[in-house]
């Protein structure tokens, strides 16, 4: 009798535990195997031998036509990796101002398209406060929206980076998973702690920056592609920075190039942890010689036969199957898509006119949170519920003003 009760209690405990959300446990090579799609957070390379040095250039601003033609095209197109294939990079695309014809162009050229959000709300608090439901509307919504208006497959949109790198801990990861997102690239790591990509099956050892919330639950098979900080210019110790426009580095084109090469060298001469660079177009506009310096930097990298410019998706694929440099080859995706290039004049929620370049016929209303396809009927419903709601009205379309 006593044992039965005890047994039932145990069963109850087991059941309730497995039904509730699982706290992540400590990771070890015994319980987490790459063959099962699991990797512990670590600064140790998944490969003992000579690894390729992977570098991901990443962009998280609206894909607008002049940045495409003035910055990305001259910097990135017609550039090749040591294996002779075109380079790749990752674009985490927000909605407002984005030209979806150009999103498709980038996609067809072999670049990875990932998710930023629909609103790109400029208030950090918005992202720290957001519920899973709101975040799902932001991430899944943008995934649906981009896939539709750029006419590219949703299955190829698998990564995300949150605006201003504001992770909301488990809430964000749950929203990602519910949105079909497979990896995040928002979590920064100290320049001296060179983390490799890993999964969130077990507790992460990656330091949680002050002001952010980091995931604590177990999220099976969900990948984190850490952003290892670089070291900027400071007269007083090391300036940890990640986005190039926050590194306070100034100089001639050669000096800028040398500085960036020295940052690559910190990884390349040690563990060859993959490098993620955040390259905002504002840096090129406001920092003298930065465009020429960055171009020289890329030209110099092109001379190194162990350095590959790849998308973050490719970095994760390599981490899952870490082949040595001698066997490493980039894949060239075979992609086709049609684009009608239709200019859609639409009023956003603030009443401002936007010219949304679309590959498919124009939506009835401007696509937005809760209505990623811009359908007239859904909007009426959403507008009503927004007016009634007391919580979400404050952070409605506060878009960053980008002067394009
Ligand atoms: C964040 O949440 C707090 C507490 O619920 C609230 O007072 C604040 O207004 C919220 N901020 C934003 C920007 O949503
Ligand atoms: C570093 O920063 C200082 C102070 O802002 C500045 O005077 C100097 O020119 C900078 N050096 C480089 C290499 O950017």
């Amino acid at each position: 009798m006593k044992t039965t009760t005890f047994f039932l209690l145990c069963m109850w405990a087991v059941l309730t535990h497995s039904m509730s959300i699982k706290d992540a446990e400590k990771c070890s090579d015994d319980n987490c195997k790459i063959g099962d799609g699991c990797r512990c957070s670590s600064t140790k390379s998944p490969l003992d031998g000579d690894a390729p040095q992977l570098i991901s250039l990443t962009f998280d601003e609206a894909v607008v036509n002049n940045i495409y033609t003035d910055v990305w095209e001259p910097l990135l197109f017609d550039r090749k990796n040591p294996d002779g294939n075109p380079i790749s990079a990752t674009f985490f695309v927000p909605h407002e101002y984005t030209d979806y014809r150009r999103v498709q162009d980038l996609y067809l050229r072999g670049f990875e398209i990932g998710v930023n959000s629909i609103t790109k709300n400029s208030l950090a608090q918005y992202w720290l406060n957001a519920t899973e439901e709101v975040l799902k509307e932001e991430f899944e919504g943008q995934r649906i929206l981009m896939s539709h208006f750029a006419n590219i497959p949703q299955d190829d949109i698998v990564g995300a980076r949150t605006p201003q790198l504001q992770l909301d801990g488990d809430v964000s990861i749950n929203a990602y998973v519910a949105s079909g997102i497979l990896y995040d690239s928002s979590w920064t790591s100290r320049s001296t702690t060179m983390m490799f990509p890993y999964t969130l099956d077990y507790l992460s050892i990656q330091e949680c920056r002050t002001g952010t919330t980091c995931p604590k639950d177990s999220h099976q098979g969900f990948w984190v592609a850490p952003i290892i900080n670089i070291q900027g210019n400071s007269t007083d110790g090391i300036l940890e920075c990640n986005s190039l426009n926050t590194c306070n580095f100034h100089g001639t084109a050669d000096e800028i190039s040398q500085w960036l090469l020295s940052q690559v060298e910190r990884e390349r001469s040690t563990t060859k942890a993959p490098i993620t660079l955040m390259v905002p177009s504002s840096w090129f506009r406001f920092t003298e010689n930065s465009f020429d310096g960055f171009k020289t930097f890329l030209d110099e990298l092109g001379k190194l036969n162990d350095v590959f410019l790849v998308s973050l998706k490719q970095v994760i694929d390599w981490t899952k199957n870490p082949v040595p440099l001698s066997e490493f080859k980039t894949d060239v995706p075979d992609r086709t898509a049609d684009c009608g290039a239709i200019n859609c004049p639409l009023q956003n929620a603030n009443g401002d006119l936007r010219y949304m370049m679309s590959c498919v016929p124009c939506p009835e209303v401007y696509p937005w949170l809760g209505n990623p396809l811009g359908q007239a009927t859904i909007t009426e419903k959403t507008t009503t519920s927004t007016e009634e709601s007391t919580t979400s009205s404050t952070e409605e379309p506060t878009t960053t003003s980008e002067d394009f």
Side-chain angles (χ1 to χ4, degrees), residues 94-207:
H95 168 54
E96 189 127 57
Y97 303 101
T98 283
D99 178 332
Y100 290 99
R101 166 198 50 171
R102 289 313 196 189
V103 172
Q104 190 191 86
D105 286 339
L106 290 168
Y107 171 80
L108 292 179
R109 285 182 171 273
F111 295 105
E112 180 188 13
I113 304 299
V115 165
N116 172 290
S117 65
I118 288 183
T119 68
K120 200 178 192 245
N121 194 312
S122 56
L123 297 175
Q125 266 304 317
Y126 171 80
W127 299 102
L128 291 175
N129 262 15
T131 60
E132 186 182 323
E133 199 44 50
V134 169
L135 290 181
K136 183 166 177 264
E137 287 190 351
E138 290 278 9
F139 303 138
E140 184 186 46
Q142 180 61 357
R143 191 163 174 251
I144 292 170
L145 201 163
M146 270 198 293
S147 161
H148 181 75
F149 293 106
N151 196 25
I152 60 177
Q154 250 189 65
D155 286 351
D156 284 346
I157 306 171
V158 298
R161 173 176 294 156
T162 59
Q164 305 135 51
L165 310 181
Q166 292 296 343
L167 263 188
D168 186 12
D170 293 307
V171 180
S172 296
I173 311 296
N174 288 335
Y176 283 151
V177 172
S179 306
I181 301 289
L182 307 179
Y183 78 83
D184 169 73
S185 171
S186 310
W187 198 343
T188 61
S189 179
R190 241 170 241 286
S191 60
T192 46
T193 311
M194 300 184 251
M195 304 285 299
F196 280 79
Y198 61 91
T199 63
L200 288 176
D201 296 59
Y202 294 91
L203 204 55
S204 171
I205 61 160
Q206 190 171 340
E207 185 187 354

Side-chain angles (χ1 to χ4, degrees), residues 203-245:
L203 204 55
S204 171
I205 61 160
Q206 190 171 340
E207 185 187 354
C208 196
R209 295 178 306 138
T210 42
T212 55
T213 316
C214 296
K216 296 205 166 51
D217 294 339
S218 169
H219 303 274
Q220 210 181 355
F222 188 86
W223 283 84
V224 172
I227 303 169
I228 303 169
N229 284 345
I230 59 177
Q231 299 178 351
N233 164 43
S234 166
T235 42
D236 168 31
I238 295 173
L239 174 67
E240 295 271 334
C241 57
N242 35 66
S243 180
L244 292 181
N245 61 4

Side-chain angles (χ1 to χ4, degrees), residues 369-384:
L369 264 201
N371 186 14
L373 297 178
Q375 292 158 319
T377 46
I378 299 181
T379 314
E380 279 155 28
K381 214 175 74 207
T382 312
T383 317
T384 326

